[in-house]
Amino acid sequence: MLIGKPRREPALFITTFEGYGDLIYHTPTLRILSKIYPHLDVWCKRPEPFLDNPYIKKLSIFDKTWPDSTNIYGSRIFHVSVDSLVTFPHCNIHTTDLVSIKALHCVLRNEEKTLEAYWTKQDLNRVENLLAQHQINKKKFVVISPSITWASRTLPLPFYQQIIAGVQQEGYQVILVGKEIFYSAGVDTDKTLYPASSFPQTICLYNQLSFAELCCLYSLTPIAINTENGNHPISCTNDYCWNLYIPTLTAPEYRVPFRQGSQTYKTAIAANENNYYPASIYGDTGATSYVTMPVQLPTVERVLSVFRSIAARL
C-alpha cells in the first residue's frame, strides 16, 4: 500500500448513508484516507458501525444541520452521498468502490477492500453468555436475519421457513437476529422483520444486540445465511464465519464483501438458475423501480445444497 507522506492538516469525511451494511462498506476507504490524513474526523447519521474505529480521530453525528467546517478543514472535505440515479447507480457498482471513487477518485486494490468492525471484551462476554444461556452448540449453529425491506430484496416467508426447517433437519440450531431500522430520506423503506413465531424452535435475538455485539456474534458463527440486507456485509467483518449468500436484485459481484483480498473467501453463493439480477440491466431504470423489480429466486433445495457443501467443510 503506497500512500506517500501523511498530511498534517485535519480532514473531514461526511457520509449521508444510513444503512448499517452500507456504512460497513465505508471502512476500507476510511482506513486508506486516514493514512493520508492521520487527523481524520467523520460526520455521519448512524455512528454504530464506526464506533471504536482506530482510524477515526473524532466521530460526530449530524442530522439536517451541517456545522460550518470550511475554516477548519478547507478543501479537505470528502463527501459521500447516496446516488441512485445519476453518476454511480447504487445497485450497479460495488458499494466499496462507490465510496472510494467518491472520496478518493479511485478504486482500491482488492487486498485493501477488507471490511472492519470492532467490539470489546465486554461485547464478547455478553455474546458468549447469550450462547450459553440458550445452550447453543458453538460448532453447529446458523445465524439468519429474515428481514423485510425492498420487495426486490425480501425473500417470501415460506422460503425462509423451508430453509430454516431444512437447516434444523441437518442438526443445526438457528439464531434469528435483526433490528427494525427507520430511514429519514430517499427511496429506502423502513426495515422490519418476519415474526419470530413464524419459525419454530429458533432462538430469537431480535433487537437484543448492539451493533458491536452483532459483529462479535458473527465472529463466533460457523455459517450465516444472508440476503441483500445489512447483515450480509456485517457477517463478513471476520475471518471465521462462512457466508451463504442469496442474491436477488443485485449481481453478487457488486455486493459480496472482500475478505483477505477476495470475494470468494468463505463465501458460497446460492444463485438463481438463470443467474439473473434485474439491477444489472444497464439503462435508465431509476431508483424507485429498483424497489419493486421482479426477481428470480433459487430453489430451496439449491440453498440447502450449498449449505450442506459448507457444513461438510467445517
Side-chain angles (χ1 to χ4, degrees), residues 27-258:
T27 55
T29 293
L30 291 175
R31 185 172 61 247
I32 298 298
L33 190 57
S34 75
K35 302 298 183 182
I36 302 170
Y37 294 100
H39 188 140
L40 178 65
D41 297 342
V42 171
W43 289 354
C44 61
K45 292 184 177 181
R46 296 185 185 274
E48 289 88 343
F50 300 146
L51 293 176
D52 297 316
N53 188 314
Y55 300 106
I56 298 173
K57 194 75 173 179
K58 181 180 179 182
L59 181 63
S60 301
I61 302 172
F62 77 91
D63 188 8
K64 295 181 179 179
T65 303
W66 291 32
D68 180 10
S69 59
T70 305
N71 293 336
I72 302 173
Y73 304 103
S75 61
R76 300 174 301 279
I77 299 176
F78 304 90
H79 182 206
V80 176
S81 60
V82 179
D83 186 359
S84 297
L85 291 174
V86 191
T87 312
F88 302 111
H90 189 17
C91 291
N92 277 336
I93 187 171
H94 199 291
T95 311
T96 300
D97 295 335
L98 184 153
V99 175
S100 67
I101 289 171
K102 286 195 168 187
L104 296 168
H105 308 293
C106 67
V107 172
L108 303 180
R109 297 182 64 188
N110 288 354
E111 65 191 48
E112 297 168 340
K113 293 182 180 181
T114 298
L115 307 185
E116 293 180 324
Y118 299 91
W119 55 88
T120 65
K121 179 65 174 177
Q122 182 178 357
D123 298 321
L124 175 61
N125 288 340
R126 180 161 190 271
V127 170
E128 289 188 327
N129 287 338
L130 281 171
L131 295 178
Q133 174 186 332
H134 291 284
Q135 299 181 326
I136 301 296
N137 181 342
K138 287 189 176 182
K139 294 184 178 180
K140 297 200 73 173
F141 75 92
V142 172
V143 172
I144 298 178
S145 180
S147 63
I148 301 173
T149 172
W150 294 2
S152 57
R153 289 177 170 171
T154 299
L155 300 184
L157 176 58
F159 194 89
Y160 271 122
Q161 289 172 322
Q162 293 174 58
I163 291 172
I164 288 174
V167 167
Q168 290 170 328
Q169 288 175 6
E170 295 293 328
Y172 280 76
Q173 297 169 284
V174 175
I175 297 177
L176 305 178
V177 298
K179 255 184 184 178
E180 295 172 324
I181 298 177
F182 304 96
Y183 290 88
S184 61
V187 72
D188 267 326
T189 56
D190 297 340
K191 306 295 196 273
T192 186
L193 299 156
Y194 284 117
S197 58
S198 301
F199 311 107
Q201 298 180 324
T202 58
I203 295 94
C204 179
L205 297 182
Y206 285 173
N207 299 308
Q208 294 184 43
L209 300 172
S210 69
F211 181 85
E213 290 167 349
L214 178 63
C215 294
C216 181
L217 172 63
Y218 277 122
S219 76
L220 303 174
T221 300
I223 307 173
I225 299 179
N226 291 304
T227 61
E228 290 190 45
N229 61 28
N231 288 62
H232 167 49
I234 292 169
S235 73
C236 295
T237 55
N238 65 83
D239 286 333
Y240 177 71
C241 178
W242 266 94
N243 169 30
L244 195 171
Y245 183 49
I246 308 171
T248 53
L249 172 66
T250 304
E253 56 265 33
Y254 293 150
R255 281 294 179 268
V256 173
F258 288 80

